[in-house]
Amino acid sequence: MAQIKDRYAIVGVGESERSKNSGTTPLHLALDAARAAIQDAGIEAKDIDGFMSYSENDSCTSHQLATYLGVRPKYVKDIMGGGSSTEMLIADAIGLIETGQVNTVLIYRAMNGRSGVRMGGGGWDINMLQSAIDGGSFIIPYGAGGPAQWFGLFATRHMHETGLTQEHLGHVCVSFYEHAQRNPKAYFYGKPLTMEAYKETPYLSYPFNKHDFCLESDEANAIIVTSAERAKDCQSRPAYIMGITARQCVSHSHYWSDLSEVAADYVAPELYKKAGISPADLDVASIYDCYSWVVLRQLEAYGIAPRGEVGDFVAAGNLRMGGKLPSNTAGGMLSEGYTHGMNNVLEIVRQIRHDYKGTDRQVENCEFGLCTGWAGPDIAGAMILRN
Amino acid sequence: MDYQKPIPLKNQDNHPYWDAADRHELLIQKCESCGHYSHPPGPACSKCGSAELSWENLGSEVNGTIYSFIISYRPFLPGFQDDLPLVIAVVELDKAPQVKLIANVLNCNPQDVSIGMNVKMTWQDITEDRALPQWIPA
Ligand SMILES: [Zn+2]
C-alpha cells in the first residue's frame, strides 16, 4: 500500500455568498465557490482536470461546473451523499492522482438548502421513505421521520449511560455560537446564545431543542486537492493531509438496531495510526455538527475525552478559543452555515494555514487539525491536516 | 375518517412480521445457522450471512423495557399533527433482549416515560385489515 502521509494537500478553499434565499441556481453558487477556491490556490481553472461533487439530488453536475469554468475535464464524479462525503471524495481524489488519472481535483457542494430542497424533512413521500431506508417500515409508521429523531434515540441512551446532561449539549451550542460572533459571514453572527437562553428553549424533539439542530442555508463550498509537489506551485500555503479514513460503516444498514455503535468508533483508530499522531497532539478541530450531541459522541469516539468525561470536557470550555481543542471555530453547522460538512473543512484549512493570524479568530500556532464527517451513526470518515 | 399516517409497507422480506401483526401476534426472524435474532427482518442473517432463516412466534403477550426514547413536539411526518407530543421508544424484549423494537408509547404522559420503564405490546387496529404493534405502560 502506498504511504500517502503528507504527500497530498488541500491548496485552495472558497465559498459563495451564504443566504436563506439565494435567488439563483446551485450552478451559479458552485461557480462562485469554485472561482474563489481557484483564486485562493493561485492557479488557472485549466489546471484542474478532475471535478467531484456530492448532493442529495439538489445540485448541478460536475460536468456543468467544469464546462462553465471553461474546462474540459478528464474526470467527473457526482455522488449521492451528505455528511462525510467530503472526506470520501478527497480520498478518492488522492487515489486518482496516485494512479495518474488526474493531477488536481476540485470538490464542491452546492445547495439551496433553505430555499430549495430542505434536509430537515417535510415534503418527503412517506411510502418512498419506507422503501428507501433499510427497515423504513419499522420506523416511518411511528412518526420517526427525520435525523433529529433517529439520532435522538442514540442520544437519549448515550446520555443515560454516560451521565451527559442537557446542559452538556448546551455547552456545545454556546461554544460554537460564540465562535460565530467573530465570523461576520456566519449565519448567527450578531446572535449570541447564553446557557440561560439555551435552557429556556422548548424542545423540538427531546432531547434536542432548536439550538441543538444545525441550520439550513443556501450556499456552495469548494476545495482543491493536489499532490505535495504541485502544491509548491500554488500561491496558497498547503494544508497537508497527514491521514484520511474515507468511509467506515457500522455492522447493520438498519443502524437503529444497535444504539451502542457508531461508525466514528471504527474511523478513529485507523486515522490516528495513518497520521502517526495521537488525540492529545491535536490543536484545532472541525467536528461534524448536524446536532450538538453528535459532537459529544464524536469527542468520545475520537478519543478527545474518555467516555463518561466528555461532559466535563465541554463544560470546562475546551471547545472555545483558548480551550484544549477549539472546535468549529467559524461557528460550525450549528451557527455558521450548512453544506453537509464542507464549510467545516474550509475552516480547518484556514486555521491550519494561519489565515487569521493577528486576529482573535486564529488558534495560535496550531499545527495539527482534525476534521470529521458524519453521515449518521452508520457512516463516517475523517482526516487530519497539518501546517 | 381514513387513517392518515403511514401504513407499514409489506415486502418480500418483512411480510411475515406484518402479517402476524395484523393477527395481533409478534413474529421475529431468527437465523437457523447462528441462532441470532434478526430485526428488522432481512433476506439473510446480518451476523453470519446465512439465508437459513425462520420465524419465532412470541405470541400476543409481549413485555419489554424501554431502552431509549425521544419525544417529538413537532410532526416530522404528515399525519402526526394530532399526536403531539409523540413518544418514540426503542424497547428491549424481555424474552429476547437482543431484539429492540421501535414503536410509540401510548396511554402515557410523555413526561412519565423513562429508560428502564416496563411496557407491554398492544396492537392498534389502524384499518380494516391492518394492525400496528405499539407499547403501553405495563
Ligand atoms: Zn446467522
Side-chain angles (χ1 to χ4, degrees), chain B residues 30-38 44-53:
Chain B
K30 197 172 184 180
C31 174
E32 291 284 289
S33 300
C34 74
H36 182 79
Y37 286 105
S38 254
C45 171
S46 65
K47 274 280 183 274
C48 75
S50 168
E52 300 292 316
L53 302 167

PDB file of all heavy atoms in Angstrom, chain B residues 30-38 44-53, ligand 1:
ATOM      1  N   LYS B  30     -35.337 -15.285  12.868  1.00  0.00           N
ATOM      2  CA  LYS B  30     -34.212 -15.875  13.588  1.00  0.00           C
ATOM      3  C   LYS B  30     -33.351 -16.671  12.609  1.00  0.00           C
ATOM      4  O   LYS B  30     -33.856 -17.273  11.668  1.00  0.00           O
ATOM      5  CB  LYS B  30     -34.748 -16.809  14.679  1.00  0.00           C
ATOM      6  CG  LYS B  30     -33.721 -17.158  15.731  1.00  0.00           C
ATOM      7  CD  LYS B  30     -34.356 -17.916  16.888  1.00  0.00           C
ATOM      8  CE  LYS B  30     -33.303 -18.155  17.965  1.00  0.00           C
ATOM      9  NZ  LYS B  30     -33.853 -18.887  19.112  1.00  0.00           N
ATOM     10  N   CYS B  31     -32.044 -16.650  12.850  1.00  0.00           N
ATOM     11  CA  CYS B  31     -31.115 -17.367  11.970  1.00  0.00           C
ATOM     12  C   CYS B  31     -30.972 -18.806  12.457  1.00  0.00           C
ATOM     13  O   CYS B  31     -30.677 -19.047  13.625  1.00  0.00           O
ATOM     14  CB  CYS B  31     -29.765 -16.664  11.972  1.00  0.00           C
ATOM     15  SG  CYS B  31     -28.498 -17.561  11.073  1.00  0.00           S
ATOM     16  N   GLU B  32     -31.168 -19.746  11.554  1.00  0.00           N
ATOM     17  CA  GLU B  32     -31.053 -21.168  11.893  1.00  0.00           C
ATOM     18  C   GLU B  32     -29.591 -21.584  12.045  1.00  0.00           C
ATOM     19  O   GLU B  32     -29.289 -22.565  12.705  1.00  0.00           O
ATOM     20  CB  GLU B  32     -31.698 -22.022  10.787  1.00  0.00           C
ATOM     21  CG  GLU B  32     -33.200 -21.890  10.705  1.00  0.00           C
ATOM     22  CD  GLU B  32     -33.907 -22.652  11.821  1.00  0.00           C
ATOM     23  OE1 GLU B  32     -33.903 -23.896  11.781  1.00  0.00           O
ATOM     24  OE2 GLU B  32     -34.432 -21.987  12.747  1.00  0.00           O
ATOM     25  N   SER B  33     -28.701 -20.836  11.425  1.00  0.00           N
ATOM     26  CA  SER B  33     -27.281 -21.218  11.462  1.00  0.00           C
ATOM     27  C   SER B  33     -26.592 -20.761  12.747  1.00  0.00           C
ATOM     28  O   SER B  33     -25.864 -21.521  13.368  1.00  0.00           O
ATOM     29  CB  SER B  33     -26.534 -20.622  10.267  1.00  0.00           C
ATOM     30  OG  SER B  33     -27.104 -21.091   9.070  1.00  0.00           O
ATOM     31  N   CYS B  34     -26.801 -19.502  13.144  1.00  0.00           N
ATOM     32  CA  CYS B  34     -26.067 -18.985  14.305  1.00  0.00           C
ATOM     33  C   CYS B  34     -26.977 -18.666  15.481  1.00  0.00           C
ATOM     34  O   CYS B  34     -26.506 -18.301  16.561  1.00  0.00           O
ATOM     35  CB  CYS B  34     -25.226 -17.770  13.922  1.00  0.00           C
ATOM     36  SG  CYS B  34     -26.174 -16.264  13.664  1.00  0.00           S
ATOM     37  N   GLY B  35     -28.301 -18.771  15.277  1.00  0.00           N
ATOM     38  CA  GLY B  35     -29.235 -18.554  16.370  1.00  0.00           C
ATOM     39  C   GLY B  35     -29.514 -17.097  16.679  1.00  0.00           C
ATOM     40  O   GLY B  35     -30.236 -16.775  17.613  1.00  0.00           O
ATOM     41  N   HIS B  36     -28.949 -16.177  15.891  1.00  0.00           N
ATOM     42  CA  HIS B  36     -29.121 -14.745  16.132  1.00  0.00           C
ATOM     43  C   HIS B  36     -30.507 -14.288  15.665  1.00  0.00           C
ATOM     44  O   HIS B  36     -30.956 -14.673  14.597  1.00  0.00           O
ATOM     45  CB  HIS B  36     -28.030 -13.995  15.357  1.00  0.00           C
ATOM     46  CG  HIS B  36     -28.042 -12.522  15.538  1.00  0.00           C
ATOM     47  ND1 HIS B  36     -27.517 -11.904  16.656  1.00  0.00           N
ATOM     48  CD2 HIS B  36     -28.513 -11.531  14.746  1.00  0.00           C
ATOM     49  CE1 HIS B  36     -27.670 -10.603  16.533  1.00  0.00           C
ATOM     50  NE2 HIS B  36     -28.274 -10.353  15.391  1.00  0.00           N
ATOM     51  N   TYR B  37     -31.169 -13.481  16.497  1.00  0.00           N
ATOM     52  CA  TYR B  37     -32.422 -12.874  16.047  1.00  0.00           C
ATOM     53  C   TYR B  37     -32.094 -11.782  15.037  1.00  0.00           C
ATOM     54  O   TYR B  37     -31.127 -11.034  15.203  1.00  0.00           O
ATOM     55  CB  TYR B  37     -33.164 -12.248  17.211  1.00  0.00           C
ATOM     56  CG  TYR B  37     -33.833 -13.239  18.136  1.00  0.00           C
ATOM     57  CD1 TYR B  37     -33.282 -13.515  19.391  1.00  0.00           C
ATOM     58  CD2 TYR B  37     -35.012 -13.885  17.775  1.00  0.00           C
ATOM     59  CE1 TYR B  37     -33.894 -14.416  20.254  1.00  0.00           C
ATOM     60  CE2 TYR B  37     -35.626 -14.791  18.637  1.00  0.00           C
ATOM     61  CZ  TYR B  37     -35.067 -15.054  19.865  1.00  0.00           C
ATOM     62  OH  TYR B  37     -35.667 -15.932  20.720  1.00  0.00           O
ATOM     63  N   SER B  38     -32.892 -11.668  14.016  1.00  0.00           N
ATOM     64  CA  SER B  38     -32.684 -10.636  13.001  1.00  0.00           C
ATOM     65  C   SER B  38     -33.855  -9.672  13.011  1.00  0.00           C
ATOM     66  O   SER B  38     -34.952 -10.024  12.581  1.00  0.00           O
ATOM     67  CB  SER B  38     -32.593 -11.286  11.614  1.00  0.00           C
ATOM     68  OG  SER B  38     -31.289 -11.295  11.153  1.00  0.00           O
ATOM     69  N   ALA B  44     -31.246 -12.174   4.654  1.00  0.00           N
ATOM     70  CA  ALA B  44     -30.267 -13.108   5.225  1.00  0.00           C
ATOM     71  C   ALA B  44     -29.904 -12.604   6.610  1.00  0.00           C
ATOM     72  O   ALA B  44     -30.261 -11.483   6.993  1.00  0.00           O
ATOM     73  CB  ALA B  44     -29.023 -13.184   4.339  1.00  0.00           C
ATOM     74  N   CYS B  45     -29.173 -13.425   7.354  1.00  0.00           N
ATOM     75  CA  CYS B  45     -28.777 -13.044   8.713  1.00  0.00           C
ATOM     76  C   CYS B  45     -27.686 -11.973   8.653  1.00  0.00           C
ATOM     77  O   CYS B  45     -26.708 -12.110   7.926  1.00  0.00           O
ATOM     78  CB  CYS B  45     -28.266 -14.276   9.454  1.00  0.00           C
ATOM     79  SG  CYS B  45     -27.510 -13.895  11.041  1.00  0.00           S
ATOM     80  N   SER B  46     -27.859 -10.894   9.447  1.00  0.00           N
ATOM     81  CA  SER B  46     -26.874  -9.806   9.418  1.00  0.00           C
ATOM     82  C   SER B  46     -25.616 -10.162  10.209  1.00  0.00           C
ATOM     83  O   SER B  46     -24.609  -9.468  10.124  1.00  0.00           O
ATOM     84  CB  SER B  46     -27.489  -8.523   9.969  1.00  0.00           C
ATOM     85  OG  SER B  46     -27.802  -8.689  11.332  1.00  0.00           O
ATOM     86  N   LYS B  47     -25.670 -11.213  10.998  1.00  0.00           N
ATOM     87  CA  LYS B  47     -24.497 -11.605  11.788  1.00  0.00           C
ATOM     88  C   LYS B  47     -23.580 -12.544  11.016  1.00  0.00           C
ATOM     89  O   LYS B  47     -22.357 -12.431  11.084  1.00  0.00           O
ATOM     90  CB  LYS B  47     -24.939 -12.298  13.094  1.00  0.00           C
ATOM     91  CG  LYS B  47     -25.234 -11.338  14.222  1.00  0.00           C
ATOM     92  CD  LYS B  47     -23.948 -10.855  14.911  1.00  0.00           C
ATOM     93  CE  LYS B  47     -24.233  -9.946  16.092  1.00  0.00           C
ATOM     94  NZ  LYS B  47     -24.419  -8.542  15.784  1.00  0.00           N
ATOM     95  N   CYS B  48     -24.194 -13.518  10.257  1.00  0.00           N
ATOM     96  CA  CYS B  48     -23.352 -14.538   9.625  1.00  0.00           C
ATOM     97  C   CYS B  48     -23.606 -14.690   8.134  1.00  0.00           C
ATOM     98  O   CYS B  48     -22.906 -15.446   7.451  1.00  0.00           O
ATOM     99  CB  CYS B  48     -23.521 -15.875  10.338  1.00  0.00           C
ATOM    100  SG  CYS B  48     -25.068 -16.717   9.967  1.00  0.00           S
ATOM    101  N   GLY B  49     -24.621 -14.001   7.606  1.00  0.00           N
ATOM    102  CA  GLY B  49     -24.863 -14.072   6.166  1.00  0.00           C
ATOM    103  C   GLY B  49     -25.671 -15.276   5.721  1.00  0.00           C
ATOM    104  O   GLY B  49     -25.961 -15.416   4.528  1.00  0.00           O
ATOM    105  N   SER B  50     -26.047 -16.105   6.669  1.00  0.00           N
ATOM    106  CA  SER B  50     -26.811 -17.304   6.300  1.00  0.00           C
ATOM    107  C   SER B  50     -28.206 -16.930   5.803  1.00  0.00           C
ATOM    108  O   SER B  50     -28.837 -16.001   6.311  1.00  0.00           O
ATOM    109  CB  SER B  50     -26.927 -18.230   7.516  1.00  0.00           C
ATOM    110  OG  SER B  50     -27.884 -19.240   7.260  1.00  0.00           O
ATOM    111  N   ALA B  51     -28.692 -17.685   4.816  1.00  0.00           N
ATOM    112  CA  ALA B  51     -30.053 -17.473   4.321  1.00  0.00           C
ATOM    113  C   ALA B  51     -31.021 -18.473   4.940  1.00  0.00           C
ATOM    114  O   ALA B  51     -32.194 -18.533   4.570  1.00  0.00           O
ATOM    115  CB  ALA B  51     -30.077 -17.558   2.803  1.00  0.00           C
ATOM    116  N   GLU B  52     -30.518 -19.269   5.888  1.00  0.00           N
ATOM    117  CA  GLU B  52     -31.376 -20.247   6.593  1.00  0.00           C
ATOM    118  C   GLU B  52     -32.111 -19.525   7.715  1.00  0.00           C
ATOM    119  O   GLU B  52     -31.653 -19.482   8.852  1.00  0.00           O
ATOM    120  CB  GLU B  52     -30.520 -21.385   7.185  1.00  0.00           C
ATOM    121  CG  GLU B  52     -29.720 -22.175   6.161  1.00  0.00           C
ATOM    122  CD  GLU B  52     -30.630 -22.989   5.250  1.00  0.00           C
ATOM    123  OE1 GLU B  52     -31.564 -23.613   5.761  1.00  0.00           O
ATOM    124  OE2 GLU B  52     -30.398 -22.967   4.021  1.00  0.00           O
ATOM    125  N   LEU B  53     -33.246 -18.944   7.377  1.00  0.00           N
ATOM    126  CA  LEU B  53     -33.970 -18.131   8.346  1.00  0.00           C
ATOM    127  C   LEU B  53     -35.291 -18.768   8.722  1.00  0.00           C
ATOM    128  O   LEU B  53     -35.900 -19.465   7.913  1.00  0.00           O
ATOM    129  CB  LEU B  53     -34.235 -16.737   7.750  1.00  0.00           C
ATOM    130  CG  LEU B  53     -33.003 -15.945   7.310  1.00  0.00           C
ATOM    131  CD1 LEU B  53     -33.411 -14.748   6.461  1.00  0.00           C
ATOM    132  CD2 LEU B  53     -32.211 -15.487   8.522  1.00  0.00           C
TER     133      LEU B  53
HETATM  134 ZN    ZN C   1     -26.705 -16.074  11.460  1.00  0.00          ZN
END
